[in-house]
Amino acid sequence: MKKNLTLIAGCLLFVVLLSGCGLTSKQIVQTQSFGSATENIGKLGEEEFVNIRNGIIEMNKELVAIDNTKTASDLKFDRPTSPEATATRIAATKALKSYGDLLVNLATEDRAEDLQKAANSLINNTTAALKKDLSEEEKGAINKIIVGFGSFWIDNKKADAAKEIIPAYEESVNELADLLAEDFSLNDGSLGYIKAYDTTAKRLKNASMRLVNAGDQYSVLERDHAVQALVLSERAISRANEISKKAEKAIDSLKKANTELVKVIKEEPYSTDDIKAYAKKVQELVNMFQVLEN
Amino acid sequence: MTSLGKELHNTIRNLEKLRDSQNPPSDDVIAKLDVLYDQQIDLIDAAINKNTEKYKKATTSMKEAAKKTKEAIDDLAKLEQALEKIANAIGKVTELLDEVA
């Protein structure tokens, strides 16, 4: 019977070894980096698209107030950042963040409690069915074997899912990053949200300069309004640069994290620590079988 | 070939330099700049509308990715079924213990 026990243990361990390790520590770390990058993009999207739109509305109101060449046809204060365009962009960054969060959950979720509950239930059912009293040591050994194999099963499922999902959506993440890069770029030819904000600010500055430099042609009140508008525009121009730089960093981090994640998911670079941890798990299982043999 | 957006940007920049070199700035330059800013907003408007459609597609894709990931996480909860199979195999152990006893 010792031979049979050893045979069963050997078969089970062979199946485990064939199915391979779960995610490597490098893969888990890289998933977390990706999650962190999508979190930043999510925040950026939620805050800045709305701030940009609100800023444009405020500046356009000032523009129409100080520039008497503007008429009722100029009263589209949120142009070109419509509610639909803004909401669509925010939804996209939220969806990206949600994906990142879920990937981190998949990679790092600790199922130890679930495993233990399931193992307890199985042992109780098995001993009741057999109408046999197992010693505490035997129960403990069986419990650890079940939990050990269960843990291998979970690790493999996580790894299989990650290896299927992450490469499949690499391109979609990059495309979204490119759209965001355009919206937050102040480069010469760019035509996105931050450029709209910057252009609106410069237009307001331009209009206010006419009044501020007009000497005594305008009243103190009119000049004061123009000065306020000039200050508002200068602040917005400076803010546009800050937002653009912050966004460029966040988007760059996202693209790097995405590329690196796909690379490590495909490569399976097991570190020495990964192999040691795996070997330790297998050894623990072997030890438990030996407890049952004795 | 230089894009229209880039050309417009450069024209605006040059006119801004001219305006800033004048004291006071000429009304004519200020008025011309205002027209150019308006044209730039028009260009941006068209580009934003075009990209809004692309954003919608990207959102659909990300939601699909999130759904698949959630399904994989939920799959981990099918632990009991997997453990039952393992326990059945290990159940042979208790039968063997019976033989020993």
Side-chain angles (χ1 to χ4, degrees):
Chain A
M1 66 277 328
K2 275 193 183 176
K3 252 194 201 167
N4 285 344
L5 188 56
T6 311
L7 186 63
I8 290 167
C11 287
L12 285 168
L13 283 169
F14 181 66
V15 166
V16 158
L17 288 167
L18 265 187
S19 54
C21 283
L23 292 170
T24 66
S25 51
K26 195 171 176 185
Q27 287 168 340
I28 293 170
V29 163
Q30 199 53 51
T31 307
Q32 287 170 321
S33 282
F34 179 77
S36 174
T38 62
E39 169 99 29
N40 286 341
I41 293 292
K43 264 193 203 152
L44 180 83
E46 273 183 88
E47 290 170 5
E48 299 303 350
F49 281 124
V50 168
N51 287 344
I52 287 168
R53 180 168 182 271
N54 288 344
I56 286 172
I57 291 169
E58 196 187 352
M59 287 188 282
N60 279 333
K61 274 158 73 174
E62 291 299 314
L63 179 66
V64 171
I66 66 171
D67 187 347
N68 57 14
T69 65
K70 299 285 173 277
T71 62
S73 63
D74 296 301
L75 294 175
K76 204 160 180 242
F77 296 123
D78 64 354
R79 193 172 73 105
T81 53
S82 70
E84 195 215 342
T86 307
T88 302
R89 280 154 173 78
I90 293 171
T93 54
K94 274 184 171 169
L96 173 67
K97 179 178 174 293
S98 170
Y99 170 49
D101 286 347
L102 284 165
L103 265 186
V104 172
N105 276 353
L106 177 68
T108 61
E109 204 176 52
D110 184 0
R111 289 276 172 159
E113 210 179 295
D114 290 342
L115 264 173
Q116 194 52 67
K117 271 188 199 162
N120 289 345
S121 164
L122 277 166
I123 290 169
N124 291 338
N125 291 345
T126 307
T127 51
L130 289 171
K131 296 183 175 84
K132 182 185 166 29
D133 281 336
L134 292 172
S135 71
E136 286 310 309
E137 201 187 4
E138 284 162 347
K139 275 189 196 171
I142 294 171
N143 175 67
K144 282 193 178 171
I145 289 168
I146 293 172
V147 168
F149 277 111
S151 153
F152 276 121
W153 182 84
I154 285 176
D155 287 347
N156 288 338
K157 288 285 260 183
K158 282 184 182 182
D160 287 347
K163 283 168 195 171
E164 188 195 319
I165 293 168
I166 289 166
Y169 291 96
E170 180 193 8
E171 207 37 54
S172 300
V173 172
N174 281 338
E175 281 167 7
L176 181 50
D178 287 342
L179 285 168
L180 290 166
E182 176 63 14
D183 262 330
F184 287 103
S185 167
L186 283 174
N187 290 342
D188 290 359
S190 62
L191 296 170
Y193 258 56
I194 201 71
K195 201 58 177 277
Y197 183 76
D198 185 62
T199 303
T200 307
K202 285 172 175 168
R203 192 179 187 187
L204 179 63
K205 178 179 171 178
N206 187 55
S208 60
M209 281 174 81
R210 187 168 62 81
L211 273 81
V212 170
N213 290 308
D216 55 8
Q217 279 183 56
Y218 297 96
S219 70
V220 168
L221 263 174
E222 282 166 328
R223 275 180 61 82
D224 182 58
H225 204 155
V227 167
Q228 302 292 339
L230 184 59
V231 167
L232 177 65
S233 67
E234 294 278 14
R235 279 191 187 142
I237 289 165
S238 172
R239 179 118 174 77
N241 278 303
E242 279 167 28
I243 294 171
S244 183
K245 279 184 188 143
K246 181 173 101 176
E248 195 184 321
K249 261 189 189 166
I251 293 161
D252 198 48
S253 291
L254 172 66
K255 285 183 115 166
K256 279 186 179 146
N258 188 36
T259 303
E260 206 40 46
L261 178 60
V262 171
K263 191 175 148 205
V264 301
I265 280 293
K266 283 176 177 172
E267 273 176 4
E268 290 188 4
Y270 293 110
S271 67
T272 315
D273 286 346
D274 288 326
I275 294 165
K276 279 182 187 169
Y278 184 68
K280 192 181 166 195
K281 261 178 154 174
V282 171
Q283 187 59 56
E284 278 169 6
L285 285 177
V286 170
N287 292 346
M288 289 305 113
F289 275 108
Q290 284 169 351
V291 164
L292 291 174
E293 273 182 342
N294 298 331
Chain B
M1 197 166 92
T2 328
S3 71
L4 181 57
K6 206 167 180 180
E7 275 184 38
L8 189 50
H9 173 93
N10 290 336
T11 307
I12 287 173
R13 193 164 51 190
N14 290 336
L15 212 49
E16 282 170 347
K17 281 181 184 162
L18 175 62
R19 178 199 64 195
D20 295 343
S21 71
Q22 296 169 338
N23 191 15
S26 108
D27 279 355
D28 195 41
V29 169
I30 286 178
K32 276 196 171 78
L33 264 171
D34 188 70
V35 169
L36 288 174
Y37 288 133
D38 198 47
Q39 284 176 357
Q40 190 164 54
I41 298 280
D42 278 341
L43 264 186
I44 294 171
D45 196 19
I48 282 179
N49 285 338
K50 191 173 164 194
N51 279 353
T52 299
E53 290 313 304
K54 290 181 186 174
Y55 268 109
K56 284 178 184 170
K57 282 185 184 147
T59 304
T60 303
S61 191
M62 288 296 96
K63 282 185 173 176
E64 193 181 280
K67 184 175 169 229
K68 285 198 171 150
T69 312
K70 180 81 175 51
E71 280 168 2
I73 292 169
D74 291 344
D75 240 11
L76 297 178
K78 290 177 188 166
L79 185 57
E80 287 204 34
Q81 290 162 20
L83 288 185
E84 262 177 44
K85 284 181 190 161
I86 295 166
N88 280 339
I90 301 170
K92 297 289 181 194
V93 167
T94 56
E95 287 176 26
L96 289 166
L97 286 172
D98 247 348
E99 281 180 48
V100 172

